[in-house]
Amino acid sequence: MSDLDAKKQELKEYLTKIEYLNSLLGLVHWDMRVNIPQNAVNYRGEVAGFLAGEHYKLITSDKVKEFIEYFSTCENLDEITSASIRKLKKEYDQTMKIPEKLYVEFVNLVSVAESVWEEAKKKGDFNLFKPYLEKIINYNKQFAELYGYKKKRYDALLDNYEMGMTEEELDRIFMPLKDAIINLLKKLKEANYEPKDHILKGHYPITKQREFARIIAEKLGYDLSSGRIDESAHPFTIELGVNDIRITTRYDEENFITGLLSNIHEMGHAIYEQNISQDLKGTLLMTGTSMGIHESQSRFYENIIGRSKEFWENIYPDVTNFFPELKRLSVDDIYDAVNSIKPSLIRVDADEITYSLHIIIRYEMEKLMMDEDIDVDELPKIWNQKYKDYLGVEVQNYSEGILQDVHWSGGMIGYFPSYALGNLYGAQILNKMLKDIPDLYERIENGDFLSIKSWLNQNIHRYGSLYTPSELIEKITGEKLNPEYFIKRCEKIVEAKLR
Amino acid sequence: MSDLDAKKQELKEYLTKIEYLNSLLGLVHWDMRVNIPQNAVNYRGEVAGFLAGEHYKLITSDKVKEFIEYFSTCENLDEITSASIRKLKKEYDQTMKIPEKLYVEFVNLVSVAESVWEEAKKKGDFNLFKPYLEKIINYNKQFAELYGYKKKRYDALLDNYEMGMTEEELDRIFMPLKDAIINLLKKLKEANYEPKDHILKGHYPITKQREFARIIAEKLGYDLSSGRIDESAHPFTIELGVNDIRITTRYDEENFITGLLSNIHEMGHAIYEQNISQDLKGTLLMTGTSMGIHESQSRFYENIIGRSKEFWENIYPDVTNFFPELKRLSVDDIYDAVNSIKPSLIRVDADEITYSLHIIIRYEMEKLMMDEDIDVDELPKIWNQKYKDYLGVEVQNYSEGILQDVHWSGGMIGYFPSYALGNLYGAQILNKMLKDIPDLYERIENGDFLSIKSWLNQNIHRYGSLYTPSELIEKITGEKLNPEYFIKRCEKIVEAKLR
């Protein structure tokens, strides 16, 4: 074995250990959110802290520094090792830049902040959460300074969730999107458009919904012999290791659409993770490349497939077989209802058109938090004003306003844009896919979901984190992220409503 | 802080880490047997192997040697630290004797073997499991040689589950028990006794059985805010950490007794673990002291409480409320049926009288595996012959023969005798309890299960592993293990049937 090969082998063994710890952290968190008995939470917190500490030790060891130095000087390094080292170096650099003391303070803060937020949301009391939000903003400012950035402080945080993303780039993408959507909502209002989502209300037994989820998994190609569907308060997808990608969902007995689309969304994430090449085992690359690309996959399945007319043509016989009362509605009725457009206060319940506005509001709030010296007292007022200006809705209490999302209480600033990027990536990918598969929608109608999955596997999934998100979108579509595809899609959807 | 106190603190921190790893191993194994998607088994095996390796490192470190040396020279060491060091020393000594490579190989083997066994049992295909069983026997032989023993190789394994136990001692206890039971079965046959268990056959929806399990948990005092009830092929109890003691069960739609008694059995284990003093956190002692004592608790709940007339008097209203078709039977009918004596093929379905014969057969098989050079091909035939000779039943296929139990596939040889020891400890403990609580059976009839639990908490549970099993049984009852109490109990039960 050459010196280089021996070193590569050593690297692989080292990264494999980190992956084992990631797998254990995945299992610990999955269990905490799906199964754990209430009295066990505290001790499990200790165990999770212990694991995180072991992970920290492995990421920041001298061994890692040595690997980075060794491979940085290698010429003609293979693509996989090179990407693997890039990822390891990023984790090492980011972790080393934050003094341990500061990091522990922050972890302690957010572990309290999340429960305070829960309480504050329940009571609709912003003042309760305010001091925590203030501290979380200040810590994130400190972190951004320590990470370093070129133009805007916020950039340092954005880069954590979407490698290379900047405020300048997001402004370029989000500004036209915001104008376009506000304009479309104006048109709908002028035409007195009325959403018809209420026609779906009924009684859908949860045991039936659970069974139906398995049929959808089979259709779409979410492999349950390498996954599971469970239930939790907030739906999520989690990797527990090779061939173990689990999703959770939340069923509503009165509305089967919530649970169905939430399942399809999470299956989009899970299909991504299940189809990454196993050659990437032991490289840290066997996971989706960014939150934005991940959301593009979940939203592709949820919106582009799951809200298409052809999808409903295809599943109508199954759906009405499971829920006979739906026979009163035609495919057209259901299709119209699941595509209702309805400006509202709550992000997670938003339709495909208004969803991005919810994100853009949070993005603009985060810019204020990070780049300006904004008084935290001002934030709720600004939030409410933006909801009024962009969506035309009045926030009545903080629970359905600034307190609605968990992210900031969890210390995450810079995450929200990923959700909107997912929509944009998705539409751009669809445009390319339609060139390769012109009969895409016929295939959906015929239930040939597996050839669509196969295209995604081939062009996106298998690469895992081998490419950065911007490299990947260029590789797939031949151009960089372009908001026009999604804007056009929104215009088409609205036009159909006005016809 | 004195030097001793500082050292005690250091010990506690060290043992806490070992306990975190135990907690993670518990979670990993629980998930493997309750949830894991089939394709994830191999990778999970790697992760389990990694964890076991980390555990091995902590148990065999120089630090541990230093702790043992330091505390061995301490005079007047407190009882807890002293027992803690005794336990640590035993683990250290036993582990040091097994080379790490061999141990990790073994852990990887059994994590796969369990799923192969499941498959083999499903198909009734011994050949599928045979190569794994052969390897497991060979590893255990190697381990026994490395542990060392005085007389028989098997002794080295027995000592792992029941400290100080030997083949000679078990022969002393099991021989009279075997003769007594075979003799009782002869008497029943001569008297043309016919079991009446078939009268319970019916249709008991599994969702109802699940609900009923929660009512029984509440009655007996198995705390579900520190535990869970799930389902798995082979019922078990597992500790996932402080306040997280989970049980599993297996329901039969035609016979609610199987699931009910299996639940009560596992709750007996879980109540033991849930009620160990939390002062023992960080000492390795916060777990039951031996498998035999553990089985005494599960069988106490299953047989002494769960098969008593008074228990059925108490739960009759609830049971008939959940399963109205049972109203056709009186308490006496049900009591008679759940105490049917019926030589059969399946250990877990066995009645209290014949149960010990199932164990003695496995004990004799394990003696052959460990002490002789038996060909694995021969084992099924020997198994079948013993079932014919002792119980008078014919094995028709391997699933209900040699493949019925999970233990060997889990690598455990030497565990089975604990079950029979549990019966014997249990009867001896009952004898003492009746002196302290003469109205025991009245309390059961009145549903005052918590005062019984309280006696067990006080006399057994809270101590965890502070005492060895032989110390504990002497502390409770004033004498060493004596099989006569259980033999007398069996004779009484049979006499009642012949009356």
Side-chain angles (χ1 to χ4, degrees):
Chain A
M1 206 190 274
S2 74
D3 184 51
L4 177 62
D5 284 344
K7 204 75 185 172
K8 277 190 193 170
Q9 186 55 36
E10 205 190 323
L11 174 68
K12 193 165 190 162
E13 279 166 22
Y14 194 88
L15 299 183
T16 294
K17 275 195 203 175
I18 296 179
E19 290 178 351
Y20 289 155
L21 287 176
N22 287 336
S23 166
L24 287 166
L25 280 163
L27 175 60
V28 159
H29 288 298
W30 174 80
D31 186 73
M32 278 186 95
R33 288 164 74 178
V34 175
N35 305 301
I36 203 163
Q38 68 191 73
N39 294 344
V41 170
N42 284 338
Y43 187 74
R44 180 62 65 78
E46 287 181 38
V47 175
F50 164 72
L51 267 184
E54 296 299 303
H55 188 267
Y56 180 91
K57 273 182 219 156
L58 282 187
I59 287 289
T60 57
S61 75
D62 289 344
K63 195 79 216 158
V64 168
K65 200 173 159 198
E66 192 189 311
F67 283 132
I68 295 168
E69 278 163 8
Y70 178 92
F71 288 104
S72 306
T73 62
C74 283
E75 278 174 30
N76 301 325
L77 196 59
D78 66 287
E79 194 178 30
I80 291 179
T81 311
S82 164
S84 177
I85 286 290
R86 176 176 66 189
K87 179 141 188 205
L88 182 62
K89 184 175 184 319
K90 184 164 183 194
E91 286 203 31
Y92 176 82
D93 287 345
Q94 296 290 74
T95 313
M96 291 301 275
K97 281 175 186 163
I98 309 296
E100 197 179 342
K101 193 176 153 285
L102 196 69
Y103 181 69
V104 171
E105 275 170 31
F106 179 68
V107 169
N108 289 338
L109 171 69
V110 299
S111 70
V112 180
E114 264 197 51
S115 20
V116 174
W117 162 77
E118 234 169 74
E119 185 75 9
K121 183 177 174 181
K122 210 178 285 169
K123 294 183 175 161
D125 182 354
F126 179 71
N127 281 328
L128 203 60
F129 181 53
K130 200 179 71 183
Y132 292 87
L133 181 57
E134 193 157 19
K135 280 183 197 158
I136 284 168
I137 292 171
N138 285 333
Y139 274 108
N140 271 286
K141 280 182 174 170
Q142 286 182 69
F143 293 160
E145 292 299 334
L146 290 163
Y147 292 147
Y149 51 88
K150 281 195 187 133
K151 291 192 175 159
K152 296 287 188 172
R153 199 191 277 144
Y154 188 30
D155 293 348
L157 301 181
L158 290 170
D159 179 68
N160 264 344
Y161 301 102
E162 201 69 13
M163 209 191 271
M165 189 52 72
T166 62
E167 198 177 308
E168 195 172 22
E169 174 75 354
L170 282 179
D171 281 343
R172 175 184 77 79
I173 295 163
F174 283 169
M175 289 311 147
L177 179 61
K178 176 177 158 185
D179 291 344
I181 297 175
I182 290 177
N183 191 37
L184 289 172
L185 292 182
K186 222 174 101 189
K187 278 193 191 167
L188 283 167
K189 204 174 176 187
E190 283 166 5
N192 290 319
Y193 160 75
E194 279 193 28
K196 300 243 179 48
D197 49 326
H198 58 272
I199 65 169
L200 293 168
K201 266 218 164 172
H203 180 75
Y204 308 95
I206 285 176
T207 48
K208 284 272 172 197
Q209 293 194 54
R210 276 191 201 120
E211 266 181 78
F212 194 62
R214 302 184 71 86
I215 299 214
I216 293 294
E218 171 91 33
K219 268 184 189 282
L220 299 182
Y222 168 48
D223 180 0
L224 287 172
S225 52
S226 303
R228 286 178 60 87
I229 308 173
D230 293 278
E231 283 149 57
S232 66
H234 302 280
F236 64 96
T237 302
I238 193 164
E239 313 143 51
L240 276 76
V242 178
N243 293 330
D244 198 353
I245 313 296
R246 306 185 186 182
I247 69 172
T248 70
T249 192
R250 197 174 43 122
Y251 296 110
D252 178 347
E253 200 139 46
E254 292 188 351
N255 183 354
F256 84 105
I257 285 293
T258 319
L260 176 65
L261 289 179
S262 146
N263 261 321
I264 295 177
H265 179 99
E266 301 304 332
M267 284 177 198
H269 284 300
I271 287 169
Y272 186 3
E273 291 289 331
Q274 281 189 336
N275 291 285
I276 297 173
S277 166
Q278 298 206 358
D279 296 347
L280 296 178
K281 207 181 142 185
T283 66
L284 301 186
L285 302 173
M286 208 174 145
T287 183
T289 187
S290 75
M291 298 319 306
I293 297 291
H294 238 298
E295 285 298 322
S296 81
Q297 297 309 291
S298 53
R299 303 204 149 259
F300 191 96
Y301 274 92
E302 177 189 350
N303 291 332
I304 295 174
I305 295 179
R307 293 191 205 260
S308 70
K309 174 100 176 276
E310 293 77 6
F311 178 73
W312 287 96
E313 292 282 5
N314 177 267
I315 71 162
Y316 188 80
D318 286 322
V319 155
T320 48
N321 181 28
F322 264 76
F323 308 109
E325 63 171 304
L326 275 179
K327 284 184 186 145
R328 71 178 193 278
L329 303 176
S330 68
V331 170
D332 281 331
D333 292 336
I334 302 181
Y335 168 64
D336 187 38
V338 301
N339 285 285
S340 290
I341 304 164
K342 194 175 176 179
S344 73
L345 292 166
I346 309 294
R347 175 182 64 86
V348 294
D349 296 335
D351 58 81
E352 189 177 354
I353 307 297
T354 58
Y355 189 89
S356 302
L357 283 184
H358 291 264
I359 297 307
I360 289 169
I361 289 172
R362 286 155 180 77
Y363 167 65
E364 292 177 352
M365 302 287 295
E366 290 187 341
K367 287 206 286 189
L368 289 175
M369 293 177 193
M370 283 301 110
D371 303 334
E372 317 286 332
D373 263 334
I374 190 85
D375 184 346
V376 176
D377 275 318
E378 299 296 312
L379 293 174
K381 266 180 264 173
I382 302 174
W383 175 288
N384 296 357
Q385 192 60 47
K386 285 181 189 290
Y387 265 82
K388 200 171 175 182
D389 294 346
Y390 305 170
L391 284 150
V393 292
E394 293 274 358
V395 177
Q396 302 295 337
N397 65 64
Y398 297 131
S399 308
E400 51 180 36
I402 193 165
L403 289 176
Q404 72 182 260
D405 293 308
V406 68
H407 305 63
W408 292 336
S409 79
M412 291 191 288
I413 297 181
Y415 185 107
F416 282 119
S418 320
Y419 292 114
L421 290 174
N423 286 334
L424 304 173
Y425 285 129
Q428 186 166 338
I429 288 166
L430 171 65
N431 182 65
K432 174 65 168 85
M433 189 191 274
L434 281 166
K435 286 181 183 145
D436 293 346
I437 313 179
D439 60 343
L440 176 70
Y441 287 104
E442 255 172 73
R443 293 192 190 195
I444 293 177
E445 189 169 340
N446 295 329
D448 176 15
F449 299 102
L450 298 189
S451 72
I452 299 167
K453 172 174 163 279
S454 179
W455 190 96
L456 294 168
N457 290 167
Q458 197 60 23
N459 289 282
I460 301 169
H461 301 165
R462 65 182 171 130
Y463 298 121
S465 300
L466 193 56
Y467 305 114
T468 65
S470 54
E471 284 169 1
L472 186 66
I473 196 73
E474 279 215 49
K475 187 176 163 68
I476 306 165
T477 67
E479 64 175 320
K480 58 187 241 177
L481 181 57
N482 177 350
E484 283 309 311
Y485 298 106
F486 183 66
I487 292 174
K488 281 209 184 94
R489 177 174 166 82
C490 292
E491 286 168 352
K492 259 197 188 163
I493 292 172
V494 170
E495 268 165 36
K497 292 286 173 199
L498 297 178
R499 211 174 291 138
Chain B
M1 208 189 274
S2 72
D3 184 53
L4 177 63
D5 284 344
K7 205 74 184 175
K8 277 190 194 171
Q9 186 55 34
E10 204 191 322
L11 174 68
K12 192 163 191 165
E13 279 164 21
Y14 194 88
L15 299 184
T16 295
K17 275 193 201 174
I18 296 179
E19 289 178 349
Y20 289 155
L21 289 176
N22 287 336
S23 167
L24 288 165
L25 280 162
L27 175 60
V28 158
H29 289 296
W30 174 81
D31 186 73
M32 280 188 93
R33 288 165 74 180
V34 175
N35 306 302
I36 202 164
Q38 69 191 71
N39 294 344
V41 170
N42 283 337
Y43 187 74
R44 179 63 65 77
E46 286 182 38
V47 175
F50 165 71
L51 265 185
E54 295 301 301
H55 188 267
Y56 179 93
K57 273 182 216 154
L58 281 188
I59 286 289
T60 57
S61 75
D62 289 343
K63 196 78 215 157
V64 168
K65 202 174 157 198
E66 194 189 307
F67 283 132
I68 294 169
E69 278 163 9
Y70 178 90
F71 287 105
S72 305
T73 63
C74 282
E75 279 174 29
N76 300 324
L77 197 58
D78 65 286
E79 193 179 28
I80 292 178
T81 310
S82 165
S84 177
I85 286 291
R86 175 176 67 190
K87 179 143 189 205
L88 182 62
K89 184 175 184 317
K90 182 163 184 193
E91 287 203 29
Y92 176 81
D93 288 344
Q94 293 290 74
T95 314
M96 286 304 274
K97 288 172 182 166
I98 310 294
E100 187 178 353
K101 194 175 152 286
L102 195 70
Y103 180 66
V104 171
E105 274 171 32
F106 179 69
V107 170
N108 287 338
L109 171 69
V110 299
S111 69
V112 178
E114 265 197 46
S115 328
V116 173
W117 162 77
E118 230 170 79
E119 185 75 10
K121 183 178 172 180
K122 209 178 285 169
K123 295 184 174 161
D125 183 355
F126 180 71
N127 282 329
L128 202 61
F129 181 53
K130 199 179 71 183
Y132 291 87
L133 180 57
E134 193 158 19
K135 278 183 200 159
I136 284 167
I137 291 171
N138 285 332
Y139 274 108
N140 271 287
K141 280 185 174 168
Q142 286 181 69
F143 293 161
E145 291 299 333
L146 290 162
Y147 292 147
Y149 48 87
K150 281 195 187 134
K151 293 191 174 159
K152 297 286 189 173
R153 200 192 274 144
Y154 189 29
D155 292 346
L157 302 180
L158 291 171
D159 178 68
N160 264 344
Y161 300 102
E162 202 68 14
M163 209 189 271
M165 190 53 71
T166 62
E167 202 177 305
E168 196 173 20
E169 173 75 355
L170 282 178
D171 282 343
R172 173 184 80 80
I173 295 164
F174 283 170
M175 288 311 147
L177 181 60
K178 178 177 162 187
D179 292 344
I181 298 174
I182 290 178
N183 191 37
L184 289 172
L185 292 181
K186 222 174 103 190
K187 276 193 193 168
L188 284 167
K189 205 174 176 182
E190 283 166 6
N192 290 318
Y193 161 75
E194 279 194 28
K196 301 247 177 47
D197 52 325
H198 59 271
I199 64 169
L200 293 168
K201 264 218 167 173
H203 181 75
Y204 308 96
I206 285 176
T207 48
K208 283 273 172 198
Q209 293 194 53
R210 276 190 201 121
E211 267 181 77
F212 193 61
R214 302 183 72 86
I215 299 217
I216 293 293
E218 171 91 31
K219 267 184 190 283
L220 300 183
Y222 169 47
D223 181 1
L224 286 171
S225 50
S226 302
R228 285 178 60 88
I229 307 173
D230 292 279
E231 282 148 58
S232 67
H234 180 89
F236 64 97
T237 301
I238 193 164
E239 313 141 51
L240 277 75
V242 178
N243 293 330
D244 198 352
I245 312 296
R246 306 187 186 181
I247 69 171
T248 70
T249 192
R250 195 175 47 121
Y251 296 110
D252 178 347
E253 200 140 46
E254 292 188 352
N255 183 353
F256 82 105
I257 286 293
T258 319
L260 176 64
L261 289 179
S262 146
N263 262 321
I264 295 177
H265 178 99
E266 301 305 332
M267 285 177 199
H269 284 301
I271 288 170
Y272 186 3
E273 290 289 331
Q274 282 189 336
N275 291 285
I276 296 173
S277 166
Q278 296 206 359
D279 295 345
L280 296 178
K281 206 182 143 187
T283 66
L284 300 187
L285 303 173
M286 210 176 142
T287 183
T289 188
S290 76
M291 299 322 305
I293 297 292
H294 238 299
E295 285 299 324
S296 81
Q297 298 309 291
S298 53
R299 305 213 142 253
F300 191 96
Y301 274 93
E302 178 189 350
N303 291 332
I304 295 174
I305 296 180
R307 293 191 207 260
S308 69
K309 174 103 175 276
E310 293 76 8
F311 178 73
W312 287 95
E313 292 282 7
N314 178 268
I315 70 163
Y316 187 80
D318 286 323
V319 154
T320 48
N321 183 28
F322 264 75
F323 307 110
E325 62 171 303
L326 274 180
K327 284 186 185 143
R328 70 179 193 277
L329 302 177
S330 68
V331 170
D332 280 332
D333 292 337
I334 302 180
Y335 168 65
D336 187 39
V338 299
N339 283 285
S340 290
I341 303 165
K342 192 178 178 178
S344 74
L345 292 166
I346 308 294
R347 176 182 64 85
V348 294
D349 296 337
D351 58 81
E352 192 178 351
I353 307 297
T354 57
Y355 188 89
S356 301
L357 282 183
H358 291 264
I359 297 308
I360 289 170
I361 289 172
R362 285 155 180 76
Y363 167 66
E364 292 176 353
M365 301 287 296
E366 289 187 341
K367 287 206 284 190
L368 288 175
M369 293 176 190
M370 283 303 110
D371 302 334
E372 318 285 333
D373 261 336
I374 190 85
D375 184 345
V376 176
D377 276 317
E378 299 295 314
L379 293 175
K381 266 180 261 169
I382 300 174
W383 175 289
N384 296 357
Q385 191 59 46
K386 284 182 190 289
Y387 264 82
K388 202 170 174 183
D389 294 344
Y390 304 170
L391 286 150
V393 293
E394 295 271 359
V395 177
Q396 303 294 337
N397 66 65
Y398 298 131
S399 307
E400 51 180 34
I402 194 165
L403 289 175
Q404 71 182 264
D405 294 307
V406 69
H407 305 65
W408 294 334
S409 80
M412 291 189 287
I413 296 181
Y415 184 108
F416 281 119
S418 322
Y419 291 113
L421 291 175
N423 286 335
L424 304 175
Y425 286 129
Q428 187 166 337
I429 288 167
L430 170 64
N431 184 63
K432 174 66 169 86
M433 189 191 275
L434 280 168
K435 285 180 185 147
D436 293 347
I437 314 180
D439 62 340
L440 176 71
Y441 288 104
E442 254 172 74
R443 294 192 190 196
I444 294 176
E445 188 170 342
N446 295 330
D448 175 16
F449 300 103
L450 298 189
S451 73
I452 299 168
K453 172 173 164 280
S454 182
W455 190 95
L456 294 168
N457 290 167
Q458 198 60 23
N459 288 281
I460 301 170
H461 302 164
R462 63 181 171 132
Y463 298 121
S465 301
L466 195 56
Y467 305 114
T468 65
S470 52
E471 283 168 1
L472 187 65
I473 195 73
E474 280 214 46
K475 188 177 162 68
I476 306 165
T477 66
E479 64 174 321
K480 60 185 243 176
L481 181 57
N482 178 350
E484 282 310 311
Y485 296 105
F486 183 66
I487 292 176
K488 278 207 186 96
R489 178 176 164 82
C490 290
E491 286 167 353
K492 256 195 188 165
I493 292 172
V494 170
E495 267 164 38
K497 292 286 175 200
L498 297 178
R499 209 174 292 139

